């Protein structure tokens, strides 16, 4: 799969709609080979290959060389924690052998990088395998997890999270996003939302099932006697009959919109109370069930600012791994009589304002005005401060100012 | 909020990108007023207004007059089931009074229709309120639910689901989609995925919380004695500290793509084994965590058909309430050397083929060739059979054939 080639090729769609925008956290160099996650022979071979890279996360923070570079472990460095062969059993066998009193380390298969051909081959698939392991010390393998972490620390590596200003290259950010989102989902879903019983990770971290039996000697019904040879039956659960979305990772779609005024001469921005001084951004919010993206944009913008929108155009999207959002970037335009700002409907924003195009352009062009982390007010050169280049809000504002409005004004 | 006016207004975005496509199940006439779901005084007033419409669902099937028209109940017709005042308590009081042994009927606030001004006013909000109630007989209110259902049946109304070919008007389909998706989510999430304990619906059906205490006399720790005046403490749960997405409805984003060949002269379609004879459609699949829409399209199309894609353009979206999918409609183009079909990667499809534009156009124009439900093979006039007009697949194919390709070939 030629994931990284798509933006270099001429096509009628590219000529008509321009080149595709690849936002930060997307553009992964990995082919996920999602259909092989159920193939435990493939997973075994991929995990044990000497060139395989294993990303470690502790409390959702990745192991890094420094803020700009991920550090990878090898299978040999984690086998004492994950076991000689975590993919020995297939899904059916894992479910049959389920014992809720044993902590099974989470080993995710992320994919293979087909541009790094370093000897791994399986069937027609060739490339460097990538895995991720959650090494947060917990449960019955607390000590074994620490035994992986300590040698890494001794080498000067560290685990750092977002608030410490992770600055990964775009391809590494995409690998981290996938690992973080999936480990977070597995951590949050230790129990079945359908019946309340504990769940089990299968398919290399991309599915959780609610097993019908359990070898743990702690029975729900204490009147029954059991031996270790006979697992106890668990309560019936609806997720075992047919396909349930509760078994698969959750992704929360969210909209974000660069709103232009009816005359295309102003841009609507809002600010949250907790943000640094002078910081504004495009409006955003979660999509609700039974709602299209376009409707969600009109609802959120009206609720937060009182502005009534007409046409909504979807521009590009961005995975956002805090915890597993899908940011859907749009450009939209206010109705001629819909531009009055009202903050009293949903009082989520501290302020919302229409900004002149020049003011937004200037803020985007002054590097010191961009950033998630307050750099100290003296570094903010203008009145207005905007999100950093890694945020889709920044992309959308640049597209409006540099591509869309000049093109519209030409017409 | 002028949700229904957006497509009639001229704007520079509409001139540049064309009119917005409103797919079936979207285009709701309701203003959800999502920020008022926590206001129990507003909810009380809205529920009890004489012009309020209450949609009833039993086992997720809506009450209808016939397949093309929803039937609505009034507050008076359901008060024996939902109680005199289901919105008497606010979120804090509901949590404090939680008793897991009592079944609380699910009463959803859907929104108000601001184009139906029939006397209801609250603060600055005016319009006809819409609610939905799950009348599936269960738990401690089984009899009361039947008492609502029986008089409706006696009037000749019925509950019908998708497989019986529901044919609602577009605005009613959107109202049903919202109600069905939210009732389904509430039904599937009776337990907390974070800790396994039972959850409680708050905010008029749009949030579920894991209460810290429970008045039910069945204690988890049977060594403790309790009176009915003192609720027992439940196990600690991470969802009670900070905001957790487990508290909010789940929406699963899915991609669907009309794939055109590199020379724009063919369209890629696939078929699943279970479909009626000659039925083909655009390829589709779920978005994974840490993946953009554009990446998901390239991954799914390659996994299912072996075709390698370049540019992906997002066209329009559609809520799909089976159970709570968000269909993201895209148009994409194969790479010059990426058109060979391979079905052996993810063997999900029975077949995938490149179809000539004329063949697809002909199938779209022959009404008998469209439909989810097999009409008998003699009714299928051509070789190729396609999804009905209510499916976004149909829209995307029409856009490619009628708008995009003629425009591209003009260039």
């Amino acid at each position: 799969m030629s994931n990284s080639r798509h933006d270099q090729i001429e096509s009628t769609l590219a000529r008509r709609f321009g080149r595709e925008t690849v936002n930060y956290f997307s553009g992964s160099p990995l082919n996920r080979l999602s259909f092989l996650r159920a193939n435990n022979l493939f997973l075994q071979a991929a995990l044990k290959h000497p060139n395989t890279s294993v990303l470690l996360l502790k409390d959702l923070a990745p192991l890094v060389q420094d803020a700009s570079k991920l550090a990878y472990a090898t299978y040999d460095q984690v086998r004492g924690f994950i076991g000689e062969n975590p993919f020995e059993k297939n899904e059916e066998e894992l479910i049959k052998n389920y014992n809720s009193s044993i902590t099974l380390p989470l080993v995710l298969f992320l994919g293979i990088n087909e541009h790094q051909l370093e000897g791994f081959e399986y069937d027609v698939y060739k490339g460097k395998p990538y895995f991720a392991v959650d090494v947060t010390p917990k449960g019955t393998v607390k000590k074994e997890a620490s035994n992986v972490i300590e040698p890494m620390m001794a080498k000067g590596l560290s685990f750092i999270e977002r608030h410490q200003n992770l600055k990964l290259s775009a391809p590494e950010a995409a690998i981290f996003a996938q690992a973080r989102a999936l480990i977070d989902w597995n951590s949050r879903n230790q129990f079945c939302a359908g019946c309340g019983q504990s769940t089990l990770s299968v398919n290399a971290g991309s599915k959780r099932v609610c097993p019908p039996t359990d070898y743990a000697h702690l029975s729900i019904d204490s009147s029954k006697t059991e031996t270790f040879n006979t697992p106890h039956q668990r309560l019936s659960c609806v997720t075992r009959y047919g396909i349930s979305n509760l078994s698969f990772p959750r992704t929360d779609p969210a909209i974000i919109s660069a709103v232009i005024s009816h005359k295309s001469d102003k841009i609507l921005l809002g600010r949250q109370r907790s943000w640094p001084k002078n910081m504004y951004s495009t409006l955003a919010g979660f999509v609700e069930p039974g709602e299209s993206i376009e409707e969600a944009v009109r609802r959120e913008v009206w609720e937060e600012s009182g502005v009534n929108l007409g046409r909504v155009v979807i521009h590009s999207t961005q995975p956002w791994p805090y915890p597993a959002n899908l940011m859907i970037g749009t450009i939209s335009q206010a109705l001629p009589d819909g531009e009055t700002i009202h903050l009293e409907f949903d009082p989520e924003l501290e302020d919302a304002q229409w900004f002149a195009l020049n003011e937004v352009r200037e803020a985007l062009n002054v590097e010191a005005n961009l950033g998630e982390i307050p750099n100290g007010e003296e570094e903010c050169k203008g009145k207005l401060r905007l999100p950093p280049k890694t945020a889709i809000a920044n992309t959308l504002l640049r597209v409006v100012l540099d591509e869309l409005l000049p093109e519209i004004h030409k017409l």
Side-chain angles (χ1 to χ4, degrees), chain A:
Chain A
M1 192 177 63
S2 309
N3 213 0
S4 53
R5 253 188 342 123
H6 69 86
D7 55 347
Q8 298 148 27
I9 304 285
E10 273 302 316
S11 69
T12 48
L13 278 193
R15 276 195 293 277
R16 170 71 179 77
F17 295 100
R19 299 240 179 246
E20 192 173 302
T21 299
V22 181
N23 290 294
Y24 194 70
F25 287 126
S26 76
S28 174
L30 305 185
N31 183 342
R32 296 184 178 217
L33 295 173
S34 73
F35 49 93
L36 290 182
R37 292 173 193 150
N39 180 337
N40 61 315
L41 298 179
F42 164 78
L43 295 169
Q44 280 177 32
L47 177 64
K48 294 187 176 183
H49 194 272
N51 290 330
T52 291
S53 284
V54 182
L55 180 62
L56 307 181
L57 283 89
K58 180 167 82 75
D59 295 316
L60 301 174
L63 186 70
V64 296
Q65 294 176 25
D66 57 55
S68 65
K69 189 102 195 83
L70 294 175
Y72 293 99
T74 62
Y75 162 68
D76 279 339
Q77 291 173 312
V78 293
R79 69 203 288 181
F81 172 53
I82 65 175
E84 283 298 313
N85 193 356
F87 298 116
E88 188 183 354
K89 299 188 179 78
N90 64 25
E91 180 174 331
E92 194 189 344
E93 293 163 339
L94 281 170
I95 292 172
K96 221 172 117 186
N97 287 281
Y98 180 59
N99 183 331
S100 64
S101 65
I102 294 168
T103 308
L104 290 176
L106 184 65
V107 184
L108 296 174
F109 172 61
L110 299 177
I112 62 171
N113 186 334
E114 294 165 329
H115 301 277
Q116 294 174 304
L117 298 172
E118 296 169 42
F120 177 71
E121 288 190 29
Y122 185 93
D123 197 356
V124 299
Y125 310 105
K126 292 177 200 167
K128 183 183 169 74
Y130 281 75
F131 286 81
V133 170
D134 182 6
V135 294
T136 310
K138 60 187 168 192
T140 53
V141 288
K142 203 177 265 189
K143 191 167 160 291
E144 289 79 359
S146 302
N147 289 345
V148 174
I149 294 169
E150 280 156 24
M152 298 294 170
M153 303 289 97
K155 279 196 243 178
L157 304 176
S158 58
F159 292 92
I160 67 170
E161 243 284 38
R162 183 192 193 187
H163 65 277
Q164 284 163 288
N165 228 349
L166 210 51
K167 286 185 171 124
L168 301 174
S169 71
E172 289 212 314
I175 292 172
F176 162 63
Q178 182 187 355
R180 189 193 194 280
L182 279 164
I183 290 175
D184 182 87
W185 172 72
N186 277 283
S187 315
R188 278 176 202 252
N189 289 269
Q190 296 286 306
F191 296 88
C192 177
C195 72
Q197 297 169 99
S198 55
T199 55
L200 165 70
S201 169
V202 297
N203 281 19
S206 65
K207 188 176 166 191
R208 294 193 74 87
V209 296
C210 181
T213 60
D214 187 351
Y215 274 98
H217 53 278
L218 290 160
S219 171
I220 288 165
D221 180 352
S222 58
S223 69
K224 285 198 184 141
T225 52
E226 283 145 22
T227 70
F228 284 103
N229 294 326
T230 319
H232 70 76
Q233 290 294 319
R234 307 208 309 172
L235 296 171
S236 171
C237 177
V238 71
T239 64
R240 289 176 211 140
Y241 312 99
I243 292 171
S244 170
N245 66 345
L246 298 179
S247 305
F248 296 99
R250 176 175 176 142
T251 311
D252 294 311
I255 58 86
I256 183 159
S257 196
V259 179
I260 58 178
S261 61
H262 185 66
K263 289 187 179 158
S264 308
D265 60 349
K266 283 173 295 185
I267 293 177
L268 180 68
L269 301 172
R271 64 171 271 111
Q272 291 176 23
R273 228 166 294 274
S274 60
W275 287 355
K277 196 178 161 191
N278 297 328
M279 172 90 172
Y280 280 77
S281 186
T282 51
L283 306 195
F286 287 102
V287 180
E288 299 199 339
E291 189 176 55
S292 70
I293 295 296
E294 297 87 339
E295 288 179 294
V297 171
R298 278 189 284 272
R299 179 181 55 75
E300 283 285 348
V301 168
W302 176 80
E303 288 184 353
E304 293 187 355
S305 73
V307 170
N308 271 302
L309 295 182
R311 181 74 163 103
V312 175
V313 175
I314 305 174
H315 178 265
S316 61
T317 66
Q318 176 180 45
W320 191 255
Y322 303 105
N325 299 351
L326 173 64
M327 302 303 296
I328 301 172
T330 66
I331 296 164
S332 58
Q333 191 159 22
L335 291 173
D337 59 351
E339 295 187 2
T340 310
I341 288 173
H342 290 278
L343 294 174
E344 68 278 16
F345 299 142
D346 185 2
E348 202 175 280
L349 296 179
E350 182 187 67
D351 190 28
Q353 282 183 46
W354 288 104
F355 287 84
L357 303 184
N358 279 342
E359 200 174 352
V360 179
R361 198 187 312 269
E362 193 188 338
L364 283 172
N365 290 339
V366 178
E367 197 67 31
N369 290 354
L370 305 176
E372 269 184 324
I373 309 297
N375 293 321
E377 283 161 36
E378 69 286 3
E379 289 182 53
C380 183
K381 299 285 189 289
K383 275 202 318 210
L384 177 63
R385 181 170 199 136
L386 293 170
K389 286 182 181 161
T390 50
I392 193 170
N394 186 298
T395 305
L396 295 171
L397 292 173
R398 285 182 198 276
V399 167
V400 165
L401 290 168
D402 299 343
E403 296 172 30
L404 187 64
L405 292 184
E407 199 176 330
I408 280 176
H409 289 138
K410 251 192 319 198
L411 290 177

